[in-house]
Amino acid sequence: MSKPLFDCTGKVTLVTGGNGGIGLGFATGIARMGGSLAIWARNPEKNAAAKQALIAAGAARVETYVVDVSGEVAILAGYEQLMADFGRIDCVFANSGASPRYKSIFDMPTEHWFEFQNTALHGAFFTLREGARHMKARAEAGEPGGSLVACGSLSLFQGLPGKAEYAAAKSGAAAVIRSLAAEMGQYGVRANVVAPGLIITPMMGPVDGPAVQYLKGQYEPVTPMKRVGYPEDFEGIGGYLCSDASSFLTGQVITIDGGYMIRG
């Protein structure tokens, strides 16, 4: 019997910030295709709930770890434990980050700029670098392949007043991905960016709450699909980018925005 197109059996994926939102949506797609998952996030209770959900979705194995990706030492220790537990890494989704919080660049404290980059940019870089290191070693041992993914945003294409720290982190991570695509292709490793549009996640509050309803009112009328996005919209791209179906896709930015960027 032939394998499903997006088959992820035997593959191990690391998702940072994978206990909720877009990260959990991405992980769920892999789980549904039979993959194994390592979740790095800071909240043990949410980690436990995510593990249950991923196992229920069909994951072969799920392990969760309390890892703060704002520091290189924690990332290195996290990979050491992951490799001890799983013995391999096939896909990395560098997804951890935070939302911008200021309306003007002049309101942004200097310390906020640096703190934000520690997680959203530096954390993504070290997470991707160490994943690439393990993939390179495996390729040199005779088993090429792997997938490196960063979570971008539409700020890669649009200016956002007051959100310079967010746009800089996402643009920097996209540049890292392009460099990895150029360097790692010889090992059969591809590197891509997923750029979400407006995605409604639990951190925004209740779906029927005023904040979410306001955002839907602003975005739905001008989005070709006439709706906003949800974490489950990332299940398909998770399964695709983890699986061998995406083996010739690299160096790309994949927008998942309901067509927002192409509207007239």
Side-chain angles (χ1 to χ4, degrees):
M1 180 182 294
S2 62
K3 293 182 178 180
L5 183 61
F6 290 1
D7 181 58
C8 296
T9 55
K11 296 185 183 297
V12 176
T13 297
L14 165 64
V15 182
T16 68
N19 64 6
I22 291 171
L24 183 56
F26 190 95
T28 301
I30 295 168
R32 290 177 62 184
M33 294 294 101
S36 295
L37 289 142
I39 302 298
W40 286 3
R42 295 181 297 179
N43 186 306
E45 291 76 21
K46 288 182 64 178
N47 283 358
K51 180 174 182 175
Q52 286 189 324
L54 293 168
I55 291 293
R61 180 182 178 185
V62 180
E63 300 294 341
T64 65
Y65 308 86
V66 176
V67 177
D68 183 348
V69 299
S70 66
E72 181 184 11
V73 172
I75 291 170
L76 295 175
Y79 267 108
E80 184 177 0
Q81 187 61 58
L82 186 158
M83 294 302 291
D85 290 341
F86 288 97
R88 62 184 295 120
I89 183 70
D90 298 277
C91 179
V92 174
F93 184 33
N95 169 70
S96 290
S99 299
R101 66 180 70 168
Y102 297 98
K103 294 183 178 180
S104 170
I105 194 170
F106 304 113
D107 298 332
M108 187 185 303
T110 300
E111 58 270 20
H112 170 75
W113 169 269
F114 287 109
E115 289 173 1
F116 196 95
Q117 304 310 322
N118 282 340
T119 296
L121 177 56
H122 304 153
F125 171 76
F126 293 128
T127 299
L128 293 164
R129 184 193 68 184
E130 294 308 304
R133 191 188 305 279
H134 287 291
M135 292 173 188
K136 177 177 180 289
R138 192 178 72 233
E140 291 173 339
E143 187 185 352
S147 179
L148 300 165
V149 186
C151 186
S153 84
L154 300 189
S155 66
L156 298 177
F157 316 105
Q158 296 179 317
L160 298 176
K163 318 301 183 189
E165 85 282 48
Y166 181 81
K170 297 299 186 181
S171 298
V176 170
I177 283 289
R178 286 190 291 271
S179 297
L180 284 167
E183 183 169 352
M184 295 298 293
Q186 62 187 308
Y187 305 110
V189 176
R190 65 264 190 205
N192 295 284
V193 178
V194 173
L198 176 62
I199 309 301
I200 302 300
T201 66
M203 68 183 295
M204 296 178 178
V207 174
D208 58 353
V212 171
Q213 290 303 307
Y214 171 79
L215 289 170
K216 292 178 68 175
Q218 294 293 307
Y219 281 85
E220 287 182 340
V222 297
T223 299
M225 295 299 293
K226 302 305 178 188
R227 71 173 180 88
V228 294
Y230 296 91
E232 53 264 33
D233 290 312
F234 291 82
E235 293 181 13
I237 200 66
Y240 173 63
L241 290 177
C242 175
S243 74
D244 293 338
S246 60
S247 62
F248 199 54
L249 179 77
T250 197
Q252 302 303 306
V253 176
I254 304 165
T255 56
I256 301 180
D257 65 352
Y260 182 83
M261 283 300 298
I262 56 88
R263 70 199 193 286

